[in-house]
Amino acid sequence: MKSISRKIFSKIHSMEPARVMVIGFGILILFGAIILNLPISTQKGESIGFLNALFTSTSAVCVTGLVVVDTGTYWSEFGQFVIITLIQTGGLGFMTIATMFSLLTRKRINLRERLLIQESLNQVDLSGLVKLTRYIIMMTFAIEGIGALLLSMVYIPRFGLGKGIWYSIFHSISAFCNAGFDLMGPVSGQYSSLTYFVDSTLINVVICGLIILGGIGFPVLLDVINNKKYSKLNVHSKIVINTTGILILIGFLFIFIAEFNNKDTLGTLNIKEKFLSSLFQSVTLRTAGYNTIDLTLLSESTLFLMLILMLIGASPASTGGGLKTTTIATLFLTVKSFIIGKEDIEVYQRRISDETVKKSLGIFFIGVFISLFGTLMLTIVNPGFTLLESSFEVISAYATVGLSIGGTPSLTYLGKIIIIILMFLGRVGSLTIFIALLSKNSRVKSKIRYPEGKIIVG
């Protein structure tokens, strides 16, 4: 037994960080599915079935929020605790959690572990990774703690002390990790999300704040804390903050105008509630998965815009998913430079490298291809879904958003498998998975450089 374990650890140790990341997330999801499949995890004391348990575990670890059963009414307190633990672990990344325990036990973090942390946090340099991880852990618990405290000001008076505290902690972690799981089923009906609090300024503002802080990325948070002034921030932070702000503003204005007179969504609300609802729905598209109005009643134009904003998603090294704000910003700047005839791609008096542009193009086209192919496959295996419902479900899964208009519980057996794969691809990163699948030899730079070939484009 010892020799087998030694061989397994030796094999893992020799793997590249990308492969370890993929395997690590896979093991965590499988472990969560086994626990959630136990009768103790459900309120009725029955097994949910392995596929549904796997779906829920994948959605929690990949901080997506798509569910096949209502979290608040189906799962027991133990099951809910397992889910929120998986969300916290998936949101931070299992290597961050492992590093936390290493720091607590004063275990030395070797080079191999630093490489894994670098891959997990999507960082360029190896220097300062342990310090960054320590700050991430401290920031996460501090932000989630403050969020839970603020939410308790509404939850405790409304639901009582014990339930109010649990609801505050659960929703604070779920919001910061951009997961979208909620416990409001017993209060406002199954799959109702936060529609019960459509008129609550505190709940709307706090949840939006947690979503934004979790979605802009830990390096940006640290940069803001250290430098405080916008002018002193690095290029990455400026791009993330500006792009995030622009996307939220676009979503807010479009939803506010398009749904203003829709009696099924914003039409019956007063002006304050319309403002809060429009802002909330725009912010939640950062891959958070909460909603305060019924998404199935939105106009098709609004849903189409939501598809685009969901696919873009959050920012690198954050708890959110999607193609990432910096990817889209880089492509936009590339097109802008091409149009005005500049040789270099410039922003904030800095030049963006060709490597960054190539990576952005790769991420974008892989993401679009997976979204289109996933929509095609889901439409085939779920004929009851319209094209818009299928694309919404697929992009929501791949971008780890968690919003749904087609009804995730009505997915077929094959449909659930497709969504599970998409959630996993979206959280771990399709580029990371493809790199992990390639052999070392296939990525060695060729010593042969061929003559340039002329291709007519445009």
Side-chain angles (χ1 to χ4, degrees):
M1 189 68 181
K2 288 183 178 180
S3 61
I4 295 174
S5 300
R6 196 178 294 112
K7 287 181 180 179
I8 293 173
F9 282 113
S10 176
K11 182 68 176 176
I12 293 174
H13 188 76
S14 62
M15 288 181 181
E16 295 183 1
R19 290 189 179 183
V20 177
M21 282 290 300
V22 173
I23 293 172
F25 268 100
I27 292 173
L28 181 60
I29 289 169
L30 184 61
F31 180 70
I34 292 171
I35 297 177
L36 289 176
N37 197 36
L38 298 174
I40 192 176
S41 296
T42 66
Q43 290 191 15
K44 294 181 180 179
E46 60 186 16
S47 175
I48 191 176
F50 184 73
L51 180 61
N52 287 331
L54 181 65
F55 189 101
T56 305
S57 179
T58 305
S59 184
V61 173
C62 298
V63 290
T64 305
L66 292 174
V67 293
V68 290
V69 293
D70 181 70
T71 308
T73 57
Y74 186 85
W75 300 105
S76 64
E77 290 182 357
F78 174 77
Q80 292 170 9
F81 177 77
V82 172
I83 288 171
I84 202 63
T85 303
L86 293 173
I87 289 172
Q88 185 75 90
T89 307
L92 285 174
F94 71 93
M95 275 311 301
T96 303
I97 300 296
T99 304
M100 179 181 72
F101 285 110
S102 296
L103 292 172
L104 289 173
T105 56
R106 299 183 182 278
K107 178 181 173 292
R108 193 174 185 278
I109 299 170
N110 57 36
L111 178 61
R112 177 67 179 169
E113 291 165 339
R114 290 172 192 268
L115 288 170
L116 290 172
I117 296 170
Q118 181 188 29
E119 183 70 29
S120 175
L121 297 178
N122 196 22
Q123 295 297 293
V124 178
D125 300 319
L126 273 173
S127 59
L129 284 177
V130 177
K131 186 178 180 181
L132 174 61
T133 305
R134 188 184 293 112
Y135 281 135
I136 287 173
I137 295 166
M138 291 169 60
M139 276 193 303
T140 298
F141 291 142
I143 293 171
E144 289 174 350
I146 294 170
L149 184 63
L150 293 173
L151 292 175
S152 68
M153 296 170 66
V154 173
Y155 285 141
I156 290 177
R158 194 158 300 190
F159 305 125
L161 183 62
K163 193 175 182 180
I165 292 174
W166 174 234
Y167 273 34
S168 300
I169 294 172
F170 188 98
H171 290 105
S172 181
I173 294 174
S174 183
F176 180 74
C177 290
N178 281 217
F181 280 81
D182 71 272
L183 302 177
M184 298 308 298
V187 179
S188 52
Q190 294 185 356
Y191 313 111
S192 58
S193 192
L194 298 179
T195 54
Y196 184 75
F197 295 105
V198 65
D199 60 342
S200 174
T201 303
L202 181 63
I203 295 295
N204 278 264
V205 171
V206 172
I207 295 294
C208 282
L210 289 168
I211 292 168
I212 293 171
L213 290 174
I216 64 174
F218 295 110
V220 177
L221 289 176
L222 279 174
D223 195 22
V224 172
I225 292 171
N226 292 332
N227 294 302
K228 295 178 177 62
K229 290 185 178 181
Y230 177 82
S231 58
K232 294 183 179 180
L233 299 179
N234 60 43
V235 174
H236 172 80
S237 298
K238 288 180 179 178
I239 290 176
V240 166
I241 292 172
N242 289 340
T243 307
T244 301
I246 291 169
L247 293 174
I248 290 175
L249 182 62
I250 290 172
F252 163 73
L253 290 175
F254 191 94
I255 294 170
F256 186 80
I257 295 169
E259 302 296 325
F260 192 88
N261 293 318
N262 185 345
K263 58 182 175 56
D264 295 322
T265 54
L266 301 184
T268 58
L269 304 177
N270 60 44
I271 193 67
K272 185 200 83 169
E273 292 168 353
K274 287 179 180 180
F275 181 90
L276 287 174
S277 298
S278 301
L279 178 64
F280 190 95
Q281 263 56 236
S282 181
V283 170
T284 199
L285 297 175
R286 300 296 88 229
T287 79
Y290 283 126
N291 58 281
T292 56
I293 56 177
D294 190 345
L295 300 183
T296 62
L297 302 176
L298 292 170
S299 63
E300 288 191 352
S301 58
T302 301
L303 291 174
F304 183 74
L305 177 71
M306 292 175 79
L307 283 176
I308 299 171
L309 295 177
M310 284 195 303
L311 186 59
I312 295 172
S315 302
S318 71
T319 60
L323 300 179
K324 300 296 190 291
T325 53
T326 48
T327 301
I328 300 303
T330 299
L331 294 180
F332 174 80
L333 292 168
T334 302
V335 174
K336 178 186 173 183
S337 296
F338 170 75
I339 292 172
I340 64 178
K342 273 198 172 185
E343 185 176 344
D344 293 329
I345 303 165
E346 300 171 347
V347 61
Y348 303 119
Q349 298 180 330
R350 293 292 185 273
R351 179 172 51 84
I352 297 176
S353 68
D354 292 340
E355 188 67 28
T356 302
V357 174
K358 288 178 182 177
K359 186 175 181 181
S360 297
L361 283 169
I363 292 170
F364 179 79
F365 282 106
I366 289 172
V368 170
F369 173 78
I370 289 174
S371 298
L372 292 174
F373 184 73
T375 299
L376 175 63
M377 295 304 297
L378 192 64
T379 304
I380 293 171
V381 302
N382 263 84
F385 279 25
T386 65
L387 185 62
L388 181 59
E389 288 171 343
S390 294
S391 59
F392 204 94
E393 199 81 13
V394 165
I395 291 176
S396 182
Y398 179 66
T400 69
V401 182
L403 298 175
S404 176
I405 60 170
T408 308
S410 60
L411 286 168
T412 62
Y413 187 91
L414 289 175
K416 290 175 183 177
I417 293 175
I418 290 171
I419 296 299
I420 286 172
I421 294 170
L422 288 168
M423 288 190 291
F424 186 76
L425 283 171
R427 181 63 183 110
V428 179
S430 50
L431 198 61
T432 300
I433 292 176
F434 291 146
I435 290 173
L437 293 175
L438 293 173
S439 64
K440 291 181 181 180
N441 293 333
S442 64
R443 296 202 309 277
V444 174
K445 288 185 178 180
S446 175
K447 295 180 180 179
I448 301 172
R449 196 175 188 192
Y450 294 104
E452 183 178 321
K454 301 293 183 181
I455 301 175
I456 301 173
V457 296

